[in-house]
Amino acid sequence: MRAIRRFTVRPLLPEELAALGELAANLRWSWHPPTQALFEEIDPELWQEVRDPLRLLGEAPAERWRELAADASYVARVAEVRADLASYLTGERWYQRASAAAPEETWPASIAYFSPEFGITAVLPQYSGGLGILAGDHLKAASDLGAPITGVGLLYKHGYFRQALSHEAWQLESYPVLDPDGLPLSLLREEDGAPAVISIRMPGAPDLLARIWVAAVGRVPLLLLDTDFEDNPGQHRLVTDRLYGGNTEHRLRQELLLGVGGVRALRAWSRITGAPEPEVFHTNEGHAGFLGIERIRELTAQGDLDFATALEVGRTSTVFTTHTPVPAGIDRFPRTLVEQYLGEQGATPGVPVDQVLALGAEDYEGGDPGVFNMAVMGFRLAQRANGVSQLHGHVSRGMFNGLWPAFDEAEVPISSITNGVHAPTWVAPEVAGLASAQGADWEGDDTEAFWAAFTKVPGPDVWRTKRLLRERLVADARRRLRRSWEERGAAPAELAWIDDALDPDVLTIGFARRVPSYKRLTLMLRDPERLKSLLLHPERPVQLVVAGKAHPADDGGKRLIQELVRFADAEDVRHRIVFLPNYDISLAQPLYPGCDVWLNNPLRPYEACGTSGMKAALNGGLNLSILDGWWDEWYEPEFGWPIPSADGLDDYSDKRDDLEAAALYDLIENEVAPRFYDLDHEGVPGRWVEMLRHTWANLGPKVLATRMVRDYIAQLYAPAAANARTLAATEDGARQLAGWKARVRGAWPGVRVEHVEAVGVGDVTEVGSRMTVHSYVALGELGPDDVEVQLVHGRVDAEDAFVESTTTPLTRVESYDGGRHRFDAEIELGRPGPFGYTVRVVPRHPLLVAPAELGVVALA
């Protein structure tokens, strides 16, 4: 039998404790230990079980509220924490101080950050893995910095999925229904109290409607669109059913809602609340790329802008971040399906569908003409793009070189900003307390000073803290392990062994992540007997805590989990290796601090960044990893150990896996374990602790999400806002830019380097000699101000390809009839060895961010 209506009954708190409702409604509690302590005191046992303030408030008995309301000390602390939240939300923070100190720079008044998933807290399960956790950390760090970001995403009725194991160790998925009224969300309402609703036209169907829920992530509002309500027809209610579920058409509808609907939700938010309209739009992966099409629709509908001009307005203020290092990870839709949904009867009427299709076309060598590529559209709609580590930037430039075929990979306009993690979310309070005890300011702007304080922490204090955290992990793992075995059908009488599973005094290695094949969950099992010998070593044992989810449609990933679990089920090793199901934030938070070593062994270079190792490092963990992602650029011997990678072999060859697994075993047996167990007279592994101190002091400031967000502001957001304001400052600025680009592209076939002369050099020239270059260039219908003539010079290999190169602009010295000009440059030959040079012509305009932006070049 079903109820005819559902509603939520909120607890009525005593007036003295009413502020608890306010504290529960703002997700800052999820990274603020004093707020968590207030809720824990209400009912410590229930808090440990749920860690959900709203649920706690709803389940605590009335008698407990009367007791707490009569407790003057508790009431005072509630008032104190509420005042602290008010100060946090309204006070001046880093962004305000920094922008005031640099008034000449362009700091955006508002930034919109779009992502298909956000991992803020386990209480709001709207994430599947690293992309969502990164997005959540981005918002939380922006809040701490005071950066004016608004998040935009979808509210999935079932979230991702809950993972369990069958008796045969096969992954099972379930999809609990999430009630928005029971989540830390509020419904955006119009002035008359009615829910704010946005609509999107659907071809041959009623409009798709969406409500807008708002999560308060500290200072940052997160807008989440939801289609599951009565006003939508049945098929439309399912659009936001689950994250990364459904068929191709279902995914396209979700991405239209995220991009097109997300822009409309932002407009409603600004209209209702008075919040400033975003100056910069950040697309976190290609899933939200249709936001650019909606902005073109807005611009062409509200004025006299044509498509090309509107495109330029949108591009200048759009940032695109790509996260995938493999083509298979990119969303690609049939062109016919996109044409159906984006046509005149579709989501963005007035925008020519042929122009939209051209933006996502794989019209380059090796591309598929039948598909619409969301990442390709993302690059074409954004003037600024980046990968998420230095190595990933290099990989991305190679993957997408086809969009700029006339340029070498190094000049493809995709930069890099390495990801970071939100320390207050992931660092155990006990770890932060070690530095605070040395006088460091946990909430200050000077992060380098805070992490440098760890160098002064006495070794015994470090080691006692790590053992405490290991002990906490062991207790949590045993609880989860028991629950998993019971779900698999084990009787309580069979599970006495779990009381001794894992040991807080044994070297603990963690491995937790999604389970696609390239992350190689089972590399550790290549030689089962060798692994057993490490786990059961009589003097230097090792224990492994493993977690991870395979995508519901990935049977290969599920088989890897099954193989690992079956190994871990064996009676001789089950006390030394455990698999913990349902990897999420609540599992991760005790896992990172409790591990001594974090293992990461992907196929290089397929790990775009890999932030889990950063979280471990901030908690006094050392990394044991393939040199991939962030580890490739920031590895130092004092931070951990690199696993040698057999890069020359086929990616999925047995030989490659065998070689890299053998190297992993050797490192653990001969370097990692001996150093961990090498204790001094105080019972402390001095060399190990020195590595921890060095990691905290030297790696800590680099891997912070606050550093990452500052980099985005300085390198991408502020320059994008500056370009957008420059365009807007002139009545026809965007039209002129669009016209200039069209003129340059049309005239480019007439641009050529006709002749180059070098004076002052022979076949062999001495270091310190000066070389003068004269270049004769035909520009056709273009003028000298439209281009830059460049001398590219530097070391070359035996095939005359540049190994290292420098670009020097040439200066126009003479002009001739027929659009011909002479350009000169002089350089000093400063180093010995093979040297080469060439001349090229590229477009030049003050609003271009890179020579390759238009994709055209004329070479000598």
Side-chain angles (χ1 to χ4, degrees):
M1 182 168 58
R2 299 182 63 187
I4 62 171
R5 186 183 172 201
R6 182 191 67 186
F7 55 89
T8 299
V9 179
R10 298 273 190 194
L12 180 62
L13 297 172
E15 183 179 352
E16 299 89 341
L17 304 177
L20 287 172
E22 181 182 337
L23 294 172
N26 192 298
L27 291 172
R28 188 206 184 199
W29 66 259
S30 67
W31 71 89
H32 191 242
T35 309
Q36 295 172 20
L38 281 181
F39 291 118
E40 183 174 18
E41 191 168 339
I42 296 169
D43 187 333
E45 187 174 331
L46 180 59
W47 175 256
Q48 289 302 320
E49 178 187 344
V50 302
R51 291 190 172 271
D52 181 345
L54 289 180
R55 183 173 166 188
L56 184 77
L57 296 183
E59 296 187 14
E63 179 183 346
R64 182 57 176 154
W65 295 126
R66 287 192 292 271
E67 292 174 359
L68 291 171
D71 184 340
S73 173
Y74 185 80
V75 171
R77 277 185 286 124
V78 170
E80 180 183 344
V81 174
R82 182 190 188 187
D84 179 76
L85 176 63
S87 174
Y88 175 87
L89 296 178
T90 60
E92 192 178 75
R93 304 193 69 80
W94 172 84
Y95 191 87
Q96 290 71 40
R97 293 189 290 269
S99 58
E104 72 283 356
E105 296 183 15
T106 304
W107 293 71
S110 179
I111 302 150
Y113 182 90
F114 285 66
S115 179
E117 51 176 302
F118 287 92
I120 309 293
T121 165
V123 171
L124 189 63
Q126 301 292 307
Y127 59 94
S128 72
L131 179 69
I133 298 299
L134 180 278
D137 282 9
H138 197 105
L139 296 194
K140 287 184 276 192
S143 174
D144 290 344
L145 293 170
I149 287 180
T150 299
V152 182
L154 302 182
L155 180 66
Y156 304 96
K157 182 177 181 179
H158 300 283
Y160 191 43
F161 69 88
R162 184 187 181 279
Q163 178 197 48
L165 299 175
S166 72
H167 179 73
E168 294 78 21
W170 189 254
Q171 174 179 292
L172 303 174
E173 300 93 24
S174 60
Y175 295 87
V177 175
L178 302 175
D179 177 5
D181 290 316
L183 299 175
L185 302 170
S186 61
L187 197 58
L188 182 64
R189 296 184 180 276
E190 300 285 356
E191 189 174 346
D192 63 2
V197 174
I198 62 98
S199 65
I200 301 176
R201 287 171 58 174
M202 293 282 107
D207 288 358
L208 173 66
L209 306 178
R211 300 178 297 185
I212 305 164
W213 295 88
V214 184
V217 186
R219 297 167 67 113
V220 170
L222 170 58
L223 312 183
L224 298 172
L225 281 73
D226 162 37
T227 65
D228 184 31
F229 61 108
E230 311 74 54
D231 295 350
N232 266 323
Q235 72 272 23
H236 287 358
R237 294 186 68 165
L238 298 176
V239 168
T240 53
D241 59 349
R242 61 184 61 170
L243 177 60
Y244 302 143
N247 60 19
T248 299
E249 186 170 8
H250 186 74
R251 289 288 296 278
L252 179 60
R253 287 178 174 177
Q254 286 188 336
E255 297 190 9
L256 283 169
L257 178 61
L258 176 59
V260 176
V263 173
R264 296 177 187 177
L266 281 166
R267 304 309 184 203
W269 171 255
S270 294
R271 172 176 55 80
I272 292 169
T273 67
E277 296 281 1
E279 290 189 87
V280 176
F281 290 76
H282 185 173
T283 306
N284 190 40
E285 255 310 343
H287 310 285
F290 289 122
L291 75 86
I293 307 301
E294 170 62 8
R295 294 185 66 205
I296 291 172
R297 186 202 64 79
E298 289 182 330
L299 291 163
T300 55
Q302 68 192 21
D304 60 349
L305 298 187
D306 58 17
F307 180 93
T309 304
L311 173 62
E312 293 307 326
V313 173
R315 286 188 76 253
T316 56
S317 56
T318 300
V319 172
F320 174 58
T321 298
T322 177
H323 290 262
T324 180
V326 290
I330 296 168
D331 279 338
R332 301 159 87 220
F333 296 108
R335 281 172 60 89
T336 53
L337 189 64
V338 175
E339 185 174 18
Q340 176 187 348
Y341 276 87
L342 273 295
E344 192 58 34
Q345 302 304 313
T348 54
V351 181
V353 69
D354 59 325
Q355 301 272 30
V356 176
L357 293 172
L359 290 169
E362 294 186 356
D363 52 358
Y364 44 81
E365 184 177 352
D368 182 344
V371 303
F372 184 92
N373 187 308
M374 294 295 288
V376 166
M377 180 179 69
F379 285 115
R380 287 173 171 157
L381 285 173
Q383 192 177 35
R384 289 169 172 81
N386 69 288
V388 292
S389 68
Q390 292 294 324
L391 179 58
H392 179 238
H394 166 69
V395 171
S396 298
R397 288 188 290 274
M399 278 179 62
F400 296 103
N401 207 158
L403 296 175
W404 300 273
F407 291 85
D408 292 339
E409 174 263 308
E411 291 190 296
V412 168
I414 303 175
S415 64
S416 296
I417 292 181
T418 303
N419 285 343
V421 299
H422 184 243
T425 294
W426 302 109
V427 175
E430 293 83 358
V431 171
L434 291 173
S436 298
Q438 302 300 318
D441 184 0
W442 177 232
E443 296 188 359
D445 287 347
D446 191 348
T447 55
E448 291 194 3
F450 177 82
W451 294 99
F454 280 97
T455 60
K456 297 181 287 185
V457 178
D461 291 353
V462 171
W463 204 234
R464 276 193 300 270
T465 300
K466 283 302 296 182
R467 190 192 186 281
L468 171 67
L469 298 173
R470 219 179 292 123
E471 190 173 40
R472 185 179 299 162
L473 169 60
V474 167
D476 185 73
R478 288 174 182 171
R479 284 193 298 270
R480 294 175 184 274
L481 193 61
R482 183 177 300 277
R483 186 164 61 243
S484 176
W485 274 86
E486 289 172 350
E487 289 177 346
R488 294 173 66 189
E494 299 177 72
L495 303 179
W497 64 271
I498 291 179
D499 293 337
D500 297 316
L502 305 180
D503 183 333
D505 291 308
V506 167
L507 169 62
T508 303
I509 300 177
F511 182 100
R513 52 197 20 93
R514 290 184 304 109
V515 189
S517 57
Y518 76 87
K519 291 182 183 282
R520 296 193 296 184
L521 170 70
T522 56
L523 185 70
M524 63 184 78
L525 302 183
R526 292 299 294 183
D527 185 342
E529 292 306 313
R530 183 85 186 273
L531 177 58
K532 282 186 181 182
S533 70
L534 295 173
L535 297 173
L536 304 176
H537 194 285
E539 298 172 356
R540 298 189 296 273
V542 171
Q543 59 193 13
L544 278 158
V545 182
V546 184
K549 291 180 176 179
H551 187 279
D554 182 8
D555 283 352
K558 293 179 184 180
R559 279 191 289 272
L560 295 177
I561 291 174
Q562 185 179 52
E563 182 183 354
L564 190 285
V565 174
R566 285 178 169 173
F567 177 88
D569 282 351
E571 290 188 15
D572 56 340
V573 296
R574 63 188 183 186
H575 64 300
R576 286 283 185 261
I577 178 171
V578 298
F579 180 87
L580 304 180
N582 205 40
Y583 180 44
D584 66 358
I585 290 174
S586 67
L587 190 162
Q589 285 178 319
L591 177 57
Y592 296 122
C595 288
D596 303 293
V597 172
W598 196 257
L599 175 61
N600 189 28
N601 46 232
L603 281 167
R604 188 178 189 272
Y606 297 138
E607 186 79 273
C609 184
T611 57
S612 59
M614 297 178 175
K615 302 179 184 91
L618 292 180
N619 280 288
L622 301 176
N623 275 265
L624 175 60
S625 176
I626 295 285
L627 287 170
D628 203 1
W630 73 272
W631 187 237
D632 179 73
E633 69 191 80
W634 284 335
Y635 160 74
E636 291 182 15
E638 295 298 306
F639 299 159
W641 297 267
I643 303 171
S645 180
D647 290 349
L649 300 177
D650 291 342
D651 285 346
Y652 293 99
S653 68
D654 286 342
K655 184 176 182 181
R656 177 169 183 168
D657 284 352
D658 287 342
L659 288 171
E660 295 182 10
L664 170 62
Y665 299 139
D666 287 345
L667 283 168
I668 294 173
E669 182 175 14
N670 301 321
E671 297 189 38
V672 180
R675 187 164 299 181
F676 179 86
Y677 288 105
D678 183 18
L679 307 181
D680 61 18
H681 66 283
E682 294 182 289
V684 174
R687 185 72 180 87
W688 187 279
V689 169
E690 279 303 309
M691 291 179 72
L692 299 188
R693 290 195 186 105
H694 188 85
T695 298
W696 274 316
N698 296 281
L699 184 59
K702 295 180 180 179
V703 301
L704 300 179
T706 47
R707 184 274 312 155
M708 172 187 71
V709 172
R710 289 179 186 181
D711 286 350
Y712 272 101
I713 291 167
Q715 299 175 33
L716 299 176
Y717 297 160
N723 267 18
R725 291 180 188 179
T726 300
L727 276 188
T730 305
E731 183 176 351
D732 283 334
R735 195 185 308 279
Q736 291 172 6
L737 178 60
W740 177 84
K741 286 188 173 182
R743 181 169 62 84
V744 168
R745 288 192 178 104
W748 201 257
V751 176
R752 60 187 180 275
V753 179
E754 295 186 323
H755 182 62
V756 178
E757 295 177 358
V759 179
V761 295
D763 291 340
V764 178
T765 302
E766 294 180 350
V767 171
S769 300
R770 302 192 69 82
M771 179 178 77
T772 300
V773 173
H774 308 300
S775 179
Y776 298 85
V777 176
L779 297 181
E781 298 176 5
L782 299 181
D785 291 340
D786 293 322
V787 302
E788 181 170 274
V789 181
Q790 299 175 337
L791 175 67
V792 183
H793 53 96
R795 287 200 309 122
V796 294
D797 61 18
E799 302 297 323
D800 291 337
F802 285 107
V803 178
E804 296 176 4
S805 64
T806 300
T807 300
T808 301
L810 284 82
T811 302
R812 181 169 62 99
V813 294
E814 290 182 348
S815 295
Y816 314 105
D817 293 339
R820 288 173 165 78
H821 309 270
R822 179 183 134 196
F823 293 81
D824 287 0
E826 184 180 81
I827 60 170
E828 180 178 335
L829 304 176
R831 57 179 298 174
F835 179 87
Y837 67 92
T838 189
V839 171
R840 70 179 184 182
V841 186
V842 294
R844 179 177 62 185
H845 190 281
L847 291 178
L848 296 185
V849 299
E853 188 171 323
L854 268 67
V856 295
V857 63
L859 300 170

